[in-house]
Amino acid sequence: MAEWIGNGGGRVVVSGDPCGECSPNKTRGWHWSGVWRLGQKWQTIARDAWRRNGCPTVNRATVQVVIYRGRTLDPDNAMAGCKAIVDGLKGVAFPDDSAAFVEYLPVKMVTGKLYARERARVEIYIKEAETRKEGAI
């Protein structure tokens, strides 16, 4: 599911646990083609949700990833596990996923039995970023 919230912002909700499935800890030792296919699956889910709901492209995005799952992940593994979703939004929600077009806020995790297994999901909030001042990092 994806929706345009207004005021230059949108949200993509991906059901399932792509962060657990695509985590580097889980895919370590896999053949590259298996990792690639898994990434393609989640890219397609995210891209199709954004397009299906007619959400527009923002020029420069601020992206917030919120992960709902049974157990917590290390923040670096959580973001790496969501890479396929962000890659799927490249070109449809924002022009590119480079630093020139996307600013990432820290990953948030909401954990507990309520979000375990089939109730897991990832929500990606996208809004038009404030314009950078000349020379700012």
Side-chain angles (χ1 to χ4, degrees), residues 66-72 108-112 114-116 121:
V66 183
I67 301 166
Y68 296 84
R69 66 189 312 264
R71 294 173 49 179
T72 180
K108 290 185 180 179
M109 276 185 267
V110 181
T111 59
L114 182 62
Y115 306 110
R121 70 180 187 273

Side-chain angles (χ1 to χ4, degrees), residues 110-126:
V110 181
T111 59
K113 288 181 182 179
L114 182 62
Y115 306 110
R117 294 185 176 86
E118 63 276 348
R119 293 180 299 254
R121 70 180 187 273
V122 174
E123 295 183 3
I124 304 213
Y125 293 87
I126 299 166

Side-chain angles (χ1 to χ4, degrees), residues 2-128:
E3 62 184 343
W4 191 247
I5 298 169
N7 296 329
R11 173 178 78 145
V12 178
V13 179
V14 176
S15 297
D17 189 12
C19 299
E21 262 189 60
C22 299
S23 167
N25 289 341
K26 174 130 189 209
T27 59
R28 184 178 297 127
W30 284 24
H31 189 274
W32 68 265
S33 64
V35 177
W36 182 82
R37 275 193 304 278
L38 185 60
Q40 291 296 302
K41 167 188 156 184
W42 291 106
Q43 284 180 31
T44 301
I45 290 169
R47 185 181 317 104
D48 289 352
W50 192 261
R51 283 183 178 154
R52 188 172 41 253
N53 289 284
C55 298
T57 300
V58 297
N59 294 318
R60 188 168 182 321
T62 299
V63 174
Q64 173 79 62
V65 177
V66 183
I67 301 166
Y68 296 84
R69 66 189 312 264
R71 294 173 49 179
T72 180
L73 291 168
D74 292 338
D76 56 340
N77 285 332
M79 195 60 201
C82 290
K83 181 183 183 324
I85 295 173
V86 173
D87 285 348
L89 295 171
K90 178 174 56 177
V92 293
F94 36 82
D96 190 53
D97 61 352
S98 67
F101 295 98
V102 178
E103 174 186 332
Y104 293 98
L105 299 176
V107 175
K108 290 185 180 179
M109 276 185 267
V110 181
T111 59
K113 288 181 182 179
L114 182 62
Y115 306 110
R117 294 185 176 86
E118 63 276 348
R119 293 180 299 254
R121 70 180 187 273
V122 174
E123 295 183 3
I124 304 213
Y125 293 87
I126 299 166
K127 69 175 189 168
E128 187 75 48

